[in-house]
Amino acid sequence: MASREDDALSWDGDDDPTLDPSGDATTPDEPTDGDGATLPKGWRAVGRGHERVRSADDEADGVGADTAAPPLGSVALVTLGVMGGILLLWTVGWYLGATRLRERIEQSTDAVADFMFQGSMVLAIAAPLLWFVVTWLGTRRVAQWQRFAWLAAGIVLLVPWPFVMVGVVGQ
């Protein structure tokens, strides 16, 4: 094994344990096999017993490495934007359909029926946005395909039927 003096380039702060001239590939920062070991910053334990090994990142942030969600790729981000846009359009469709239905049901003078209609329409208008937010927050620790499956289910289930059936202009 080559020593540091034989290297063509030498950089300050280069602490690669494989270049140690003593031949020992471990450093004092690395964990031992005992409990309560701590890994250096940026390292993550894998395999059997990885729960017992702490990381310097965990101690500094106070958050475990397993709780952070992996970043979304470009295709996943675009797909998420398209699905969120469709659910936003569904919200607009529910609003337009509800206002059109409101004009048709204006003849009713019953206060209870009017209150029930308004309450159900507010919930119907908010449902697509609520579905997106709940899906986004509820699927942070699951596979991306499951998140997109839940969003697709929301797109299918929350179609604005008053807008589709009656439209803005109506019959």
Side-chain angles (χ1 to χ4, degrees), residues 96-151:
L96 294 174
T99 55
R100 182 66 183 140
L101 281 177
R102 179 75 182 146
E103 294 171 5
R104 287 183 160 206
I105 301 179
E106 288 257 331
Q107 293 87 10
S108 173
T109 59
D110 188 13
V112 174
D114 188 44
F115 177 75
M116 295 299 287
F117 178 79
Q118 286 181 357
S120 63
M121 282 298 117
V122 166
L123 289 176
I125 292 168
L129 293 180
L130 288 174
W131 187 282
F132 182 80
V133 170
V134 168
T135 302
W136 177 259
L137 295 176
T139 59
R140 285 187 286 177
R141 293 186 182 99
V142 299
Q144 286 183 5
W145 71 268
Q146 291 175 334
R147 174 180 285 170
F148 292 123
W150 279 106
L151 286 173

Side-chain angles (χ1 to χ4, degrees), residues 55-123:
S55 172
D57 296 332
D58 297 342
E59 294 171 0
D61 298 338
V63 177
D66 294 337
T67 60
L72 291 175
S74 299
V75 174
L77 197 58
V78 169
T79 305
L80 184 69
V82 168
M83 291 181 144
I86 291 171
L87 287 171
L88 183 63
L89 287 175
W90 273 196
T91 301
V92 173
W94 273 107
Y95 174 75
L96 294 174
T99 55
R100 182 66 183 140
L101 281 177
R102 179 75 182 146
E103 294 171 5
R104 287 183 160 206
I105 301 179
E106 288 257 331
Q107 293 87 10
S108 173
T109 59
D110 188 13
V112 174
D114 188 44
F115 177 75
M116 295 299 287
F117 178 79
Q118 286 181 357
S120 63
M121 282 298 117
V122 166
L123 289 176

Side-chain angles (χ1 to χ4, degrees), residues 3-73:
S3 67
R4 290 194 184 268
E5 291 80 27
D6 296 335
D7 287 343
L9 294 172
S10 166
W11 302 97
D12 288 336
D14 188 17
D15 56 352
D16 187 4
T18 60
L19 297 177
D20 188 20
S22 67
D24 184 18
T26 61
T27 61
D29 298 2
E30 292 185 24
T32 59
D33 290 335
D35 288 335
T38 303
L39 288 172
K41 188 171 181 127
W43 290 61
R44 184 176 63 114
V46 294
R48 187 180 305 159
H50 73 278
E51 306 89 23
R52 295 183 308 225
V53 180
R54 293 184 315 265
S55 172
D57 296 332
D58 297 342
E59 294 171 0
D61 298 338
V63 177
D66 294 337
T67 60
L72 291 175

